[in-house]
């Protein structure tokens, strides 16, 4: 099942090659949780140096992929909240509002502020398909905790917690 | 009026709680210090213990995990010191 394909993801996120690490979104509860896919191939630029004789996807890039999946959940949540607010305003005012200008949602992607208790259980190699699972937890002010995990098949390869901030 | 014995017990319980809070703060925020060096009225943020807003997020979660007490972001003054945190926990803990 595809909720969002690569082209739609590129409309939402500001990341581009070689740093867009999310191929597809297969489950999405805006603002709450989501599951994405990253297919790892030998053609990834980082395998040239990591390592010349043993191809292993750098753990930090798996964290980045999880952060990008988090950004999708966050942005779609923000977008939905904005639309609902607009509809409410339109319904109460019944005014002929100018159609809101296309919001550049990519400019709202927040920042990563903390990486905690990250465990890397198994190396990720070319041919693996990463399942990126993220779930947004407690929020305090503009900060939120996010529980993240990456799977290859049924095996958990990375697990931990991120903290992200909204753009102030 | 509390008897001497009751007062003593109450004080001991209170001390246990503040010790536990200090231990939790040091452990969960990976602070490189002895929990006993934190005083009960020392400010936790800024110049006091040097915590920041990112640590605050962690503290919210930790206090909820450990004591089942939820802190809301409109009463940040709870994090003023270990004593204030202990007061809040005692007031809100489920018996």
């Amino acid at each position: 099942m595809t909720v969002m394909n690569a082209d739609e993801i590129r409309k939402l996120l500001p990341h581009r090659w070689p740093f867009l690490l999310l191929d597809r979104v297969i489950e999405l509860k805006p603002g709450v949780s989501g599951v994405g896919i990253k297919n790892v191939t030998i053609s990834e630029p980082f395998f040239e140096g990591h390592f010349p004789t043993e191809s292993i996807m750098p753990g930090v890039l798996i964290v980045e992929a999880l952060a990008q999946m988090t950004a999708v959940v966050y942005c779609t949540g923000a977008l939905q909240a904005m639309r609902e607010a607009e509809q409410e305003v339109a319904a109460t005012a019944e005014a002929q509002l100018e159609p809101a200008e296309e919001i550049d949602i990519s400019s709202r992607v927040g920042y990563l502020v903390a990486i905690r208790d990250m465990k890397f259980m198994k190396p990720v190699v070319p041919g693996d398909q990463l399942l990126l699972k993220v779930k947004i937890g407690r929020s305090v002010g503009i900060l939120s905790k996010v529980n993240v995990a990456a799977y290859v098949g049924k095996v958990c390869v990375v697990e931990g917690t991120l903290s992200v901030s909204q753009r102030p | 009026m509390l008897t001497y014995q009751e007062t003593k017990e109450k004080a001991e319980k209170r001390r246990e709680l503040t010790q536990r809070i200090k231990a939790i703060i040091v452990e969960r925020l990976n602070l490189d210090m002895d929990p006993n060096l934190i005083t009960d009225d020392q400010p936790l943020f800024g110049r006091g213990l040097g915590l920041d807003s990112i640590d605050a997020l962690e503290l919210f979660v930790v206090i909820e995990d450990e004591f089942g007490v939820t802190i809301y972001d409109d009463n940040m003054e709870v994090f003023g010191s270990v004593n204030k945190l202990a007061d809040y926990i005692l007031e809100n803990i489920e018996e």
Side-chain angles (χ1 to χ4, degrees):
Chain A
M1 195 180 63
T2 306
V3 177
M4 209 180 269
N5 64 28
D7 295 327
E8 289 163 331
I9 292 169
R10 275 198 301 186
K11 279 185 201 146
L12 195 66
L13 298 184
H15 309 74
R16 293 296 177 264
W17 186 88
F19 226 72
L20 181 56
L21 299 171
L22 188 58
D23 293 337
R24 183 184 287 175
V25 175
I26 57 171
E27 270 175 46
L28 185 62
K29 278 189 201 156
V32 181
S33 64
V35 181
I37 287 176
K38 160 72 185 156
N39 287 312
V40 183
T41 85
I42 188 62
S43 303
E44 310 277 1
F46 48 77
F47 283 133
E48 186 154 309
H50 199 276
F51 297 95
T53 56
E54 191 188 8
S55 304
I56 296 176
M57 181 169 181
V60 285
L61 291 183
I62 304 174
V63 174
E64 172 62 24
L66 287 161
Q68 291 180 11
M69 186 58 219
T70 305
V72 168
V73 174
Y74 227 88
C75 281
T76 50
L79 208 58
Q80 198 179 54
M82 270 188 314
R83 291 221 176 100
E84 274 164 15
E86 259 170 36
Q87 274 168 3
E88 244 170 62
V89 170
T92 49
E94 276 195 56
Q96 283 292 54
L97 292 172
E98 294 282 310
E101 54 197 284
E102 197 62 35
I103 314 148
D104 182 15
I105 195 71
S106 71
S107 69
R108 302 198 160 231
V109 171
Y111 300 111
L112 188 57
V113 296
I115 299 174
R116 275 186 203 275
D117 307 323
M118 207 52 85
K119 281 197 281 189
F120 301 92
M121 268 82 92
K122 201 169 170 288
V124 173
V125 298
D128 283 348
Q129 182 178 61
L130 282 171
L131 268 181
L132 307 161
K133 302 187 178 183
V134 311
K135 193 163 173 284
I136 297 190
R138 271 302 295 272
S139 294
V140 174
I142 60 167
L143 300 176
S144 302
K145 290 209 79 144
V146 190
N147 294 316
V148 299
Y151 286 78
V152 173
K154 286 198 161 34
V155 181
C156 184
V157 292
V158 177
E159 192 181 29
T161 314
L162 304 177
S163 298
V164 294
S165 94
Q166 282 167 30
R167 197 168 278 227
Chain B
M1 200 67 172
L2 294 172
T3 63
Y4 171 70
Q5 195 60 30
E6 281 169 342
T7 313
K8 203 176 145 197
E9 269 173 28
K10 213 175 160 195
E12 249 166 41
K13 268 198 176 156
R14 171 84 185 193
R15 213 168 55 92
E16 263 171 39
L17 178 63
T18 53
Q19 290 294 96
R20 193 169 152 213
I21 292 171
K22 289 174 197 172
I24 288 168
I25 291 175
V26 169
E27 196 201 315
R28 294 286 290 260
L29 298 180
N30 290 324
L31 301 183
D32 187 18
M33 70 184 300
D34 182 349
N36 296 319
L37 291 180
I38 305 174
T39 56
D40 290 350
D41 289 311
Q42 182 178 358
L44 298 181
F45 292 92
R47 273 197 310 158
L49 202 53
L51 302 187
D52 56 31
S53 59
I54 301 174
D55 296 318
L57 175 63
E58 190 69 21
L59 267 186
F60 272 83
V61 177
V62 170
I63 298 297
E64 202 167 292
D65 283 357
E66 295 278 340
F67 299 99
V69 171
T70 306
I71 301 168
Y72 300 94
D73 33 355
D74 51 0
N75 51 6
M76 285 295 279
E77 62 270 25
V78 170
F79 289 128
S81 65
V82 171
N83 260 337
K84 285 187 183 154
L85 204 49
D87 288 342
Y88 185 83
I89 289 169
L90 285 176
E91 269 170 41
N92 292 279
I93 205 159
E94 304 231 340
E95 291 299 327

